[in-house]
Structures are given as C-alpha cells and as structure tokens.
Amino acid sequence: MGDCNTNNILKLLFSYMPKIAEERKMDGLLILMADLGRSLVGADRCSLWLVDEQKSELWTKVAHGVAELRIPSNLGFVGYTLNSGESLCIKDAYEDSRFDSRSDLKTNYHTKSVLTVPLKNSEGRIIGVFQAINKKEPPYYFSSQDIEYLSLTAVYSEKTIESALLTKELEETQAEILYMLGEVSEHRSKETADHVMRVAACCYKMACYFGLSEYEANQIRLAAPLHDLGKVGIPDAILQKTGKFTPEEYEVMKTHTVLGHHLLRNSSRKLLQLAAEMAIGHHEHWNGSGYPSGLSGEKIPLSSRICAVADVFDALMSTRCYKEAWSEDMVKDFFIKQRNSQFQKELVDILLSHWDEFIEIYK
Ligand code: C2E
Ligand code: SIN
Ligand code: SIN
Ligand code: FE
Ligand code: FE
C-alpha cells in the first residue's frame, strides 16, 4: 500500500463522484480522470496520451503543467507501453535506455519515476497510454498498488472516449463510472464485494416487476451501488467487527444513512439525487420502525422500499463478518413474516413469486 490508507482513498474517490456526475463535456471528464489518477497515485503530473494513427504519433489529450506534446508512437516509455501492452513502473527514467528525454528538455522538467498503463478499448485494442510522473512522497517511486489505481482511471478514461466516439449518452458513461466507484468502495469490507452488484440487479428486477418503466428501473439499478456510501464515514473497528454490535456501536452504524445522503444531496444530477434518496431511506421499515426517520408506508420513497428488500435479501443469503448465511427456507420465512411489517407486501409478493429468478442473481 502506498502513502494513502484505504479510508483516504475512499474519501478521494467520493470527493470526485459529484464532480464526475456534474461534468457535461467529454474533455472535462478526461481532465477529471487525469486529476483523479494523479491524486490516487500521488504523482506530480499525469497525462493521457492518444494514438494518432495517420501520423504514427502519440499526443497528449490531457497533460498537467504542459501544452500539447507529440512524440513518435514508438518512442519512450509511453511508446513501449503502447506497442507491448505492458504497464511500466520505472524508478529512475534516466537510468533506462527506453527513456526519451526530449520532452523533459522541451518542457524544462526533470522526470524521475514513471508509471505507464495501456488504455484498451472494448475490443482489447490499445488506443493510448495513461502516464504518471514523479511520485511526490517517499520512496519517490510508484508501487504495484499505484499501477492498479492508474489502471482504474485508464478504464474510466477509455470508456469516456469510447462513448464520445459512439455518440453514446455521456450520462450513461458517467453512470458506469459511478457504478464502478461504488464497487471499489464496497471492497473495503471484502465479504460485501459482490453485494453491490447483486443488490443492483435485484433492485432492477423488482422495479420492473413493480411496473416501473425500463428507464426508471435502470436509474434505480445505477443508483443502487451508492446506497451504503455513508459507510466510508464509519470507523473500521465498527464496520469490520466480527461479533454482535453493542447498542452504542449500532447507533454509530445507523448514521451511514444520513452520511451518504449528505455526500450526495448537493448534486444537481438526477441520478445522484436518486442515490441520495436511496442512501437515506434504505433502512426505513414499511411499519415505521426503521431508521433514521421512522417513516412509514408510502412516505418512504419507492426506490428506498425496493432497495430495502434487495439489501436484506442479499444480507441474509450471505455470510457476513458478524453472521452466517441463512438457508433459502429461513430467508423465505423471514420475508413471509415481514410482509407488511418491515417491507411493503407488494414487493415481498414479487420476491416470493419470482423467487428462483432472485436466487439466480444471487448465484
Ligand atoms: P448488512 O449486513 O448488509 O445487513 C443489511 C440489513 O439486513 C440489516 O440492516 C438488517 O435489516 C438485515 N439483516 C442482516 N442480518 C440480519 C440478521 O441476522 N437478522 C435479521 N433479522 N436481519 C438481518 P441493519 O440491521 O440496519 O444493519 C445495517 C448494517 O450494519 C449491516 O449491513 C451491517 O453492515 C451492520 N451490522 C448490523 N448489525 C451488526 C452486528 O451485530 N455486527 C456487525 N459487525 N455489523 C452489523
Ligand atoms: C517517455 O515516456 O519517455 C516520454 C514521454 C514523456 O514523459 O514526456
Ligand atoms: C452492506 O454491507 O453493503 C449492507 C449494509 C447496509 O445496508 O447498511
Ligand atoms: Fe445500509
Ligand atoms: Fe447494503
């Protein structure tokens, strides 16, 4: 692990989420990706190089601190990664024969440590290279963890570019990025790594059967990964406790709902507003016995009512650090008992009458 602990990384990711959601232009989104990449790996500069096929050149689509640069596409570390598809992690550029120091001369800069990762499109073809230069903190060179972080931003950047080429809605790409960031956040507690995906899939299915439009159901699916965003603010000692909570610990844990809402509510993007609504409402109960507000019935937004069923279904079916997985029959009995008390009866009926399909998502 580099100089950032997991919590700082999460805070960083989440600080970028609203910005990513607000951005309306591809170029702006790519600059954000370069900024995010630079912060994640603690580099002085980050640049995104793209291939100009006609001229056999690489050019900087985004670069910190410099105007557009162009280099022959077989030159330097960037050229090496472009042609080999390999990531490079270099401690001292001037001691490596692959280094092309002309960019340094041109920009009056001293390159020391370098990290390069390829940008692959969905067909696996390399369309560019993401590069970080000069790790700012000791040991002043990048780690294998940094390669992973930069690869993550490379994936987002590629998606952004691809969506522009396919004239796909940028909003859809942003949603995908948020989805992936939500996933990253869930890796904090390893046992819930797939939780996010399954809850999203269950929410979508339930929303469709409830009669929402394809568009609305999809919005809920995309916002669902952020329902536990507020857990970033919960201390690890509580989040990862292997035993049962004390009442005090449970009270702290409950604040993840309000916290997630605070993190998301200021966005003007519809998708994030929906996520904010689900973050604060997913532990409310149909009969009013839930938290944080004790709302009941249809005062709880439908998105939250759906998320509540999906979330608990997944929690009960899974092993958690504090509980064993329940058997299918026990889970079914639980939902039958909570029909019309913890959960809206129509939603439980959907779960029960399409039981095998929901179990399928789970497997
Ligand atoms: P989670 O593990 O994903 O559980 C989500 C929700 O599923 C819970 O919300 C609860 O409504 C339901 N659930 C999970 N396990 C059980 C169970 O054994 N019995 C019943 N009746 N319901 C269950 P809740 O209780 O508000 O908890 C929210 C989150 O707080 C949980 O998410 C988990 O991360 C954490 N948590 C809750 N209780 C404990 C605990 O005793 N120890 C630890 N370490 N974490 C806990
Ligand atoms: C290189 O990667 O060796 C040249 C590109 C640069 O850092 O400006
Ligand atoms: C989870 O671990 O993601 C579920 C916990 C919750 O819903 O609060
Ligand atoms: Fe939750
Ligand atoms: Fe959850």
Side-chain angles (χ1 to χ4, degrees):
M1 198 87 222
D3 50 306
C4 278
N5 67 33
T6 322
N7 233 332
N8 287 341
I9 293 291
L10 284 169
K11 284 191 184 123
L12 191 66
L13 289 178
F14 291 129
S15 71
Y16 272 87
M17 280 183 163
K19 292 186 219 161
I20 290 167
E22 293 298 335
E23 183 55 55
R24 274 146 222 278
K25 295 203 182 69
M26 177 184 87
D27 284 7
L29 209 47
L30 290 176
I31 291 169
L32 276 173
M33 289 302 138
D35 291 348
L36 175 60
R38 175 170 65 177
S39 305
L40 278 172
V41 304
D44 184 44
R45 292 178 171 182
C46 232
S47 36
L48 170 58
W49 297 79
L50 295 180
V51 182
D52 181 337
E53 303 258 11
Q54 263 148 24
K55 296 186 182 151
S56 295
E57 282 180 338
L58 278 155
W59 58 286
T60 49
K61 173 76 190 163
V62 183
H64 288 132
V66 286
E68 184 186 307
L69 292 171
R70 280 189 171 260
I71 56 169
S73 59
N74 58 357
L75 219 67
F77 300 128
V78 174
Y80 179 85
T81 292
L82 179 75
N83 294 302
S84 69
E86 278 172 45
S87 299
L88 283 178
C89 190
I90 307 290
K91 284 188 187 174
D92 188 346
Y94 282 85
E95 296 199 342
D96 193 299
S97 59
R98 287 170 294 199
F99 183 54
D100 171 40
S101 57
R102 277 175 293 180
S103 296
D104 263 9
L105 282 176
K106 223 182 276 172
T107 61
N108 193 23
Y109 187 76
H110 186 83
T111 300
K112 193 161 165 63
S113 55
V114 178
L115 193 62
T116 56
V117 300
L119 224 67
K120 290 189 188 150
N121 71 11
S122 50
E123 282 132 36
R125 206 163 58 83
I126 300 170
I127 60 160
V129 176
F130 219 99
Q131 179 186 40
I133 305 178
N134 288 354
K135 177 96 174 178
K136 284 194 296 186
E137 305 275 334
Y140 302 111
Y141 54 83
F142 299 99
S143 65
S144 55
Q145 180 74 58
D146 292 332
I147 300 181
E148 272 176 46
Y149 287 140
L150 203 66
S151 302
L152 193 78
T153 37
V155 170
Y156 302 155
S157 304
E158 193 287 316
K159 281 189 177 296
T160 304
I161 293 164
E162 195 154 327
S163 78
L165 293 178
L166 302 174
T167 60
K168 219 170 70 172
E169 280 291 314
L170 194 56
E171 186 156 330
E172 204 177 308
T173 304
Q174 287 167 311
E176 278 177 43
I177 294 173
L178 296 174
Y179 193 91
M180 288 190 278
L181 291 178
E183 251 182 275
V184 172
S185 76
E186 281 284 334
H187 283 280
R188 184 158 172 236
S189 48
K190 284 196 200 69
E191 57 207 14
T192 61
D194 299 321
H195 169 66
V196 141
M197 302 289 274
R198 292 191 303 251
V199 170
C202 286
C203 282
Y204 176 76
K205 193 172 268 298
M206 192 153 294
C208 289
Y209 281 127
F210 195 79
L212 295 187
S213 68
E214 163 75 27
Y215 176 80
E216 288 169 311
N218 199 41
Q219 291 294 103
I220 290 180
R221 179 175 70 84
L222 292 166
L226 299 172
H227 76 269
D228 279 331
L229 184 60
K231 282 184 174 178
V232 286
I234 307 297
D236 279 336
I238 293 182
L239 202 61
Q240 320 238 352
K241 183 180 178 182
T242 46
K244 267 223 138 319
F245 278 163
T246 64
E248 293 76 23
E249 287 166 338
Y250 195 31
E251 287 311 307
V252 175
M253 176 53 108
K254 284 179 178 175
T255 63
H256 80 275
T257 48
V258 184
L259 209 61
H261 183 254
H262 282 302
L263 290 169
L264 293 161
R265 67 173 171 188
N266 290 325
S267 173
S268 63
R269 279 271 150 137
K270 279 219 190 76
L271 186 67
L272 286 202
Q273 295 202 343
L274 181 63
E277 179 180 282
M278 289 166 82
I280 200 168
H282 73 279
H283 287 293
E284 297 290 357
H285 293 178
W286 182 252
N287 64 8
S289 68
Y291 62 88
S293 309
L295 296 180
S296 62
E298 287 176 357
K299 291 201 196 87
I300 309 164
L302 178 60
S303 62
S304 295
R305 283 178 260 149
I306 289 174
C307 186
V309 175
D311 191 36
V312 174
F313 176 69
D314 193 71
L316 297 181
M317 292 292 298
S318 313
T319 304
R320 290 275 201 264
C321 58
Y322 66 98
K323 64 169 273 296
E324 290 298 319
W326 291 16
S327 71
E328 244 186 83
D329 284 345
M330 280 170 72
V331 177
K332 205 180 232 175
D333 285 347
F334 179 80
F335 277 99
I336 292 169
K337 256 191 229 113
Q338 296 300 332
R339 183 181 179 275
N340 219 18
S341 43
Q342 186 167 346
F343 310 106
Q344 181 176 3
K345 62 176 187 292
E346 285 81 6
L347 295 175
V348 171
D349 291 342
I350 289 170
L351 179 67
L352 296 174
S353 55
H354 301 275
W355 186 257
D356 291 344
E357 284 176 47
F358 284 96
I359 292 288
E360 192 57 38
I361 291 173
Y362 182 77
K363 286 170 177 159

